[in-house]
Amino acid sequence: MVRITIGASDFSRSHYTFDDVAPGTRDDSLAHFSMAPHRADVIPTLRAIRAIQPGLQVMATPWSAPAWMKSTQSLYKGTLRDDAYPAFAEYLVRALEGYAREGVPVDLLSVQNEPQHEPDDYPGMRFDPPQRARFIGQHLGPLMRRRGLRTQLL
């Protein structure tokens, strides 16, 4: 089993998400969504591992939603704004679909790394249990079903 990030983490060389836009702007349609940051190293590495171990399970986890979705408008600290729940669900589904298109299907998804921690020097966000339950039950779960995704939610 391997766990990969959806966007950057505390051990990434730079801080990014798959839908970064200029400060003060939004991208609710995810017109700027791109998995390009993972095409140079993450995806080729995962393909190479799967060639050796075809039964490899892949788990994906975001450290932060894109800054424009958060209360702080930053990858650091903050929480997911209520009005961004639909966009964040679409963001995660597009990541799952994108990895699958690249030959790296994701078996397991957790919606947040360290959901009670708001780091001040690397991507992260607080995502309390009631928020996660509402997000999964009303947005992400139904969207994954509509799109026919079989990825298990943790």
Side-chain angles (χ1 to χ4, degrees), residues 1-4 46 49-50 56-60 104 108:
M1 175 183 247
V2 65
R3 184 169 79 143
I4 58 174
L46 289 169
I49 294 168
R50 280 188 100 91
L56 178 75
Q57 280 199 312
V58 176
M59 176 180 171
V104 186
L108 307 159

Side-chain angles (χ1 to χ4, degrees), residues 5-98:
T5 64
I6 296 176
S9 72
D10 49 328
F11 55 85
S12 297
R13 291 179 292 222
S14 63
H15 295 164
Y16 62 89
T17 70
F18 293 159
D19 195 48
D20 293 326
V21 295
T25 62
R26 293 179 62 131
D27 186 25
D28 290 282
S29 67
L30 301 181
H32 296 94
F33 182 90
S34 173
M35 295 184 63
H38 282 192
R39 286 199 181 99
D41 50 17
V42 174
I43 291 169
T45 301
L46 289 169
R47 283 185 190 143
I49 294 168
R50 280 188 100 91
I52 296 166
Q53 179 52 267
L56 178 75
Q57 280 199 312
V58 176
M59 176 180 171
T61 306
W63 264 236
S64 176
W68 59 269
M69 295 183 189
K70 293 174 58 184
S71 61
T72 57
Q73 296 289 301
S74 170
L75 294 182
Y76 315 123
K77 296 192 175 192
T79 62
L80 184 65
R81 290 190 334 270
D82 288 345
D83 66 338
Y85 281 32
F88 191 48
E90 179 67 28
Y91 174 84
L92 294 176
V93 164
R94 285 195 191 183
L96 296 174
E97 292 172 339

Side-chain angles (χ1 to χ4, degrees), residues 110-125:
S110 65
V111 297
Q112 180 59 41
N113 180 65
E114 298 177 328
Q116 299 290 62
H117 183 55
E118 293 180 71
D120 57 8
D121 60 348
Y122 63 86
M125 73 179 186

